[in-house]
Amino acid sequence: MTKKNKYKSEKLLKKIKKSYAWSGLLSSIIFMSLVTVLLIMMLNAALSYTIESWMSTEYDRVSYMAKLYESSGAAEVSKYDGDDGEYLVVDKSGTPVYEHGENTCSMEEFKAELYSKPDAGQISVYPDSKISIFEVKDNKISMNMMLFSRDYIRVDNLDSFIQNGIIRYPIWMGVPLSDGEHTFIGCSRFNIDKADITFIVVIASVIAVLFLIMVITFIWRLIRAFINQRKVSSLVFNDEVTLGNNWMYFRIKGEQILRRFYNRKNRYAVLDIDFVNYRNYCVCHSVEEGDNKLRMIHKKIDSQLSTGELSGRYASSNFAVLMRADNEDAFKARLNLLLFELEKVDSVHKLGFHIGVDYIDPEIDKNGKMIKRKDIDIEKCYNNACAARVTLDGNDESGMAFFDDKLFEEQKWIDAVHERQLAALNNEEFVVYYQPKYNPSTNTLKGAEALIRWQSSDLGFIPPGRFIPIFEKNGFITEIDHYMIRHVARDQKAWLDKGFNCVPVSVNVSRAHFIEEDLAEQIRDIVDAEGAPHDLIEIELTESAFFDDKKALITTISRLQGYGFAVSMDDFGSGYSSLNSLKDLPLNVLKLDAEFFRGDMEGDRGEIVISETIRLAQALNMRTVAEGVEIREQVDFLAEHGCDMIQGYYYAKPMPASEYEQRMKEPVSEDSGEDSGK
Ligand code: C2E
Ligand code: CA
Ligand code: CA
């Protein structure tokens, strides 16, 4: 995944998560607020309406009583309102000048505002001193919201307010008398009868039910949002095989951990753990069984981790692990234990595990530069761990490898080669060197091997050992093989045209190339395009290529020979089923590996092996070439035993084409050889 795509998908994930978590919550909160406001408004309207209707009749009654008192006296008021009517007349200082009934007006305590009713005149409203169910404030009478609080029902004897099942709430109304000196204050009779109570109860119940629905909806949505979020998380972060964390979770969570604990005291390591025999295991058993094993491996890894550590499956049989590594010895002991425990996952089969480790040292990166907290890149560390792990490839035994400066340099080198390979090919930076092959008996030139060199515009002169293995891994080797065949054919054609004594030149063709079905035809076409005769081109195959599809190999070799190309087996004796290959493959040339001629040929035994191999090749009708021969004694020995050609420093090192031309031109003396003054 490219970095851009990675961040894109992360953003999307965050968006999905957010929308699941907050959309439900937010809409519920908005909905609840709206409904609450609506309910309060409804309640307010209902109460206002009730109070309003009570008030208007009471105003009229008290105003009328005041007028009666002024015009006809207290007796007339009593006649109108009965003896239980309560009122008092006060002077400007508030001192009562006349009282009728039990006065509980609390005008001493409250400075009441005027109630503004257009035709009510200057009526003041006072709460009752014994009961505070009504509040008088800011020109308004309202039902006290703390209705049910004990403090507000300070009624000494509630019975006096309940008459005939009707609750009577007193409020006092003062009407200024025309003398301007006195105020008539009459007790209103706010009666709440059953209809009013029913009305209020119905409204309150509706409101309560609505509120309840709202709260339930809110909670339900909250739970749903939570469940959805968990579902999304498990979909995105769970590994479908192990049911544990996947790579994305490891990366996000791992970086969080690293950033949070980023300081000198904490050292972490990122691991790549690979179950080496996974593919083989799946082939022998089943993919399902293989997955089962992966699940067990995941569990085992997790069981070895403590808090603040993390694992996640990367892909296939690779697990990424983040571990504390404060103490190197203790950490390595833990890794050994981990390998030991992992091997116990299967008691029947011997499983192998490779662990690659990259230490994350706080603050300093591999280049010695300060790492900023935000620059911590766990993916890069994991890649480093993988690079370390890859060095264990080819060995099925369990083991561990640590990413270090050397590996880092190697990675950098591989990267540099990748970056330049195509341009180098297009700019013809690859140069063909020729290493002559001589007949040791006559010291005459019999052939040559084409060997590649890279004359890089910025990296300088590079020997093949530094880049051929990289090309073999990244597949670019097939381009190189074509390039070499084309250039050798071109050179041979040019030399022929110049009248040189051309000898066959062998070209290395990589193992990766040999799986192509039409390889023989590809080679034929390239050589034909350059106009070189086929018998001047020989194809060298390394022994390791012979392990693959033998039938296909035989077909390709036969086809090449059919087109007139000789085929040789390179490095014979360096691998292990050489003899078997000889049995099956119809080759023309056997190249004895240079290893045969290292040291002193290990005495008699070494000499026996070499002489008998030459005899074997002769019996199979193959020519022999001895590679890596550096000393005179070896040349003499090989000549004595009938070796056809020698390719080694004794005669010549690989050389540029111009130098090789001289070798073709010069007649070779009988005693040729570099150590003999040639
Ligand atoms: P190789 O095919 O076995 O080539 C022989 C190697 O042995 C050459 O190394 C050659 O320089 C070296 N050599 C020959 N005689 C002596 C000797 O007396 N003493 C010592 N010490 N070395 C000797 P070179 O050129 O460095 O190539 C190394 C390998 O790179 C080759 O081994 C071959 O596997 C690969 N290679 C080189 N050129 C090509 C190419 O064009 N295509 C492919 N596919 N591989 C190539
Ligand atoms: Ca070779
Ligand atoms: Ca060789």
Side-chain angles (χ1 to χ4, degrees):
M1 200 187 274
T2 63
K3 211 155 183 127
K4 206 174 156 195
N5 281 344
K6 186 177 92 182
Y7 289 125
K8 223 170 153 185
S9 63
E10 238 164 70
K11 263 189 186 166
L12 189 70
L13 173 69
K14 272 189 191 158
K15 221 168 147 183
I16 294 169
K17 281 181 71 187
K18 253 191 200 165
S19 66
Y20 266 105
W22 300 112
S23 70
L25 208 70
L26 204 73
S27 59
S28 294
I29 288 172
I30 292 171
F31 176 74
M32 258 182 73
S33 316
L34 282 175
V35 173
T36 308
V37 168
L38 209 74
L39 293 183
I40 290 170
M41 279 165 70
M42 270 172 68
L43 188 69
N44 200 32
L47 286 176
S48 299
Y49 169 78
T50 316
I51 293 169
E52 206 53 54
S53 60
W54 289 336
M55 290 294 281
S56 55
T57 39
E58 285 308 302
Y59 281 137
D60 296 344
R61 196 176 60 79
V62 175
S63 303
Y64 184 69
M65 278 163 67
K67 267 189 204 130
L68 264 185
Y69 179 83
E70 213 173 8
S71 59
S72 317
E76 284 302 312
V77 177
S78 292
K79 253 193 235 164
Y80 165 73
D81 206 40
D83 268 344
D84 56 342
E86 291 169 67
Y87 63 88
L88 68 156
V89 178
V90 295
D91 63 13
K92 260 190 172 160
S93 67
T95 316
V97 293
Y98 184 82
E99 284 181 80
H100 184 263
E102 196 186 343
N103 172 19
T104 56
C105 170
S106 64
M107 58 183 183
E108 300 282 323
E109 293 170 38
F110 293 92
K111 183 94 187 81
E113 294 295 324
L114 294 182
Y115 185 85
S116 57
K117 188 170 179 282
D119 58 348
Q122 294 222 307
I123 293 178
S124 327
V125 181
Y126 312 95
D128 191 273
S129 61
K130 281 196 177 174
I131 188 159
S132 307
I133 283 170
F134 292 101
E135 220 170 30
V136 181
K137 209 179 170 197
D138 292 344
N139 229 9
K140 285 265 177 201
I141 298 175
S142 58
M143 189 81 95
N144 196 307
M145 279 301 159
M146 292 169 91
L147 201 60
F148 304 103
S149 151
R150 265 159 191 254
D151 291 348
Y152 282 84
I153 305 176
R154 290 178 302 168
V155 182
D156 301 330
N157 181 6
L158 199 64
D159 292 343
S160 64
F161 294 99
I162 303 173
Q163 285 158 10
N164 304 326
I166 292 170
I167 305 169
R168 213 174 135 242
Y169 291 112
I171 279 212
W172 297 81
M173 296 180 174
V175 181
L177 297 181
S178 55
D179 61 4
E181 292 292 320
H182 296 93
T183 305
F184 178 91
I185 303 172
C187 182
S188 74
R189 293 168 186 162
F190 284 165
N191 295 334
I192 299 181
D193 59 20
K194 275 183 187 144
D196 292 326
I197 291 169
T198 312
F199 178 69
I200 288 175
V201 165
V202 167
I203 293 276
S205 307
V206 168
I207 288 170
V209 168
L210 281 176
F211 194 76
L212 206 72
I213 290 174
M214 215 167 59
V215 169
I216 290 171
T217 313
F218 179 72
I219 292 172
W220 183 71
R221 292 209 66 153
L222 208 69
I223 292 171
R224 242 189 47 162
F226 183 71
I227 291 171
N228 279 341
Q229 194 181 336
R230 295 220 36 169
K231 270 190 203 157
V232 169
S233 295
S234 74
L235 258 179
V236 178
F237 289 136
N238 273 27
D239 180 61
E240 73 271 27
V241 175
T242 62
L243 306 178
N245 305 327
N246 63 9
W247 167 248
M248 188 180 321
Y249 182 83
F250 176 84
R251 204 167 46 71
I252 294 172
K253 186 80 184 161
E255 265 173 23
Q256 274 173 14
I257 292 175
L258 287 177
R259 290 196 178 123
R260 193 161 348 124
F261 298 106
Y262 183 74
N263 61 53
R264 274 178 208 283
K265 273 180 255 146
N266 295 295
R267 191 191 203 205
Y268 279 88
V270 173
L271 279 58
D272 170 44
I273 302 180
D274 183 28
F275 166 24
V276 185
N277 337 68
Y278 173 63
R279 297 241 168 268
N280 197 33
Y281 192 90
C282 287
V283 170
C284 297
H285 302 271
S286 66
V287 176
E288 206 181 326
E289 289 262 307
D291 286 353
N292 216 11
K293 238 359 35 117
L294 292 182
R295 256 190 299 283
M296 290 162 81
I297 290 167
H298 154 253
K299 274 201 188 127
K300 188 60 89 180
I301 292 173
D302 270 6
S303 73
Q304 297 294 310
L305 303 182
S306 34
T307 40
E309 299 182 329
L310 189 67
S311 81
R313 193 173 74 104
Y314 177 72
S316 182
S317 56
N318 290 76
F319 292 84
V321 178
L322 178 69
M323 271 171 91
R324 294 291 298 259
D326 304 325
N327 178 312
E328 200 165 322
D329 290 339
F331 172 65
K332 282 184 178 164
R334 278 184 74 194
L335 290 185
N336 278 320
L337 179 69
L338 181 61
L339 277 178
F340 177 73
E341 287 294 327
L342 280 171
E343 284 179 349
K344 283 204 303 198
V345 161
D346 195 320
S347 53
V348 183
H349 303 94
K350 177 154 174 37
L351 305 186
F353 295 89
H354 288 172
I355 302 183
V357 183
D358 184 38
Y359 285 115
I360 306 169
D361 286 304
E363 297 181 4
I364 305 289
D365 74 2
K366 300 269 172 334
N367 291 323
K369 273 195 201 147
M370 296 284 281
I371 305 174
K372 292 195 186 94
R373 204 175 277 263
K374 71 171 172 51
D375 288 341
I376 294 174
D377 184 355
I378 203 166
E379 194 166 352
K380 197 171 151 215
C381 302
Y382 180 68
N383 278 335
N384 291 346
C386 288
R389 198 257 308 145
V390 165
T391 61
L392 303 169
D393 276 0
N395 185 356
D396 284 357
E397 293 287 312
S398 291
M400 54 179 115
F402 295 81
F403 188 82
D404 56 14
D405 292 348
K406 218 180 104 208
L407 247 167
F408 180 61
E409 288 306 320
E410 224 171 281
Q411 291 295 117
K412 276 208 323 204
W413 171 251
I414 291 170
D415 191 58
V417 171
H418 281 201
E419 211 177 290
R420 290 164 177 82
Q421 59 188 36
L422 197 61
L425 191 82
N426 294 335
N427 300 338
E428 305 249 323
E429 289 181 9
F430 297 107
V431 184
V432 185
Y433 268 48
Y434 291 89
Q435 186 177 27
K437 296 171 191 167
Y438 281 88
N439 177 331
S441 309
T442 60
N443 291 324
T444 48
L445 183 71
K446 283 288 176 186
E449 179 177 4
L451 294 159
I452 195 168
R453 303 290 182 262
W454 183 359
Q455 189 60 61
S456 167
S457 52
D458 60 338
L459 301 174
F461 186 84
I462 312 163
R466 296 269 287 143
F467 59 90
I468 289 288
I470 299 173
F471 291 163
E472 273 172 347
K473 269 196 191 134
N474 71 13
F476 195 65
I477 192 69
T478 52
E479 304 289 329
I480 291 294
D481 287 350
H482 283 162
Y483 180 96
M484 290 295 283
I485 294 166
R486 187 177 315 115
H487 279 75
V488 170
R490 194 173 292 166
D491 284 350
Q492 290 282 55
K493 169 78 170 106
W495 289 326
L496 263 187
D497 290 349
K498 284 184 190 168
F500 291 151
N501 254 339
C502 289
V503 286
V505 172
S506 59
V507 184
N508 293 284
V509 172
S510 83
R511 165 202 174 93
H513 215 146
F514 248 77
I515 46 172
E516 286 179 27
E517 238 176 62
D518 61 343
L519 178 72
E521 286 68 35
Q522 287 179 30
I523 292 174
R524 178 199 61 194
D525 293 347
I526 293 169
V527 175
D528 286 349
E530 299 300 331
H534 294 186
D535 60 355
L536 288 186
I537 306 289
E538 189 179 305
I539 300 302
E540 281 195 21
L541 258 178
T542 51
E543 211 196 328
S544 59
F546 298 167
F547 283 104
D548 288 337
D549 188 347
K550 207 160 249 176
K551 241 173 108 183
L553 203 65
I554 294 172
T555 312
T556 305
I557 292 171
S558 306
R559 291 233 290 266
L560 280 167
Q561 289 168 336
Y563 295 132
F565 301 106
V567 183
S568 60
M569 185 197 275
D570 201 357
D571 304 334
F572 179 80
S574 67
Y576 31 103
S577 72
S578 316
L579 288 174
N580 225 4
S581 307
L582 279 189
K583 178 172 73 79
D584 299 324
L585 303 172
L587 297 153
N588 307 94
V589 182
L590 193 70
K591 292 189 80 179
L592 295 175
D593 192 67
E595 274 308 303
F596 281 117
F597 310 103
R598 292 288 153 261
D600 62 351
M601 283 162 61
E602 289 154 35
D604 290 349
R605 293 177 70 88
E607 287 185 356
I608 291 168
V609 171
I610 294 166
S611 57
E612 290 306 308
T613 306
I614 294 169
R615 244 163 53 95
L616 178 71
Q618 284 166 346
L620 290 169
N621 215 10
M622 294 166 81
R623 275 167 284 136
T624 46
V625 178
E627 271 192 308
V629 175
E630 294 182 356
I631 51 176
R632 175 69 182 260
E633 287 71 29
Q634 292 171 338
V635 176
D636 292 343
F637 175 83
L638 288 163
E640 192 187 316
H641 287 88
C643 180
D644 297 298
M645 281 169 269
I646 284 178
Q647 177 191 342
Y649 289 0
Y650 173 76
Y651 283 108
K653 287 186 175 177
M655 56 187 73
S658 56
E659 207 175 305
Y660 174 64
E661 275 180 17
Q662 303 310 314
R663 296 272 170 155
M664 277 190 287
K665 273 194 267 179
E666 286 167 10
V668 182
S669 75
E670 279 303 294
D671 200 28
S672 168
E674 287 192 343
D675 64 346
S676 58
K678 186 181 173 296

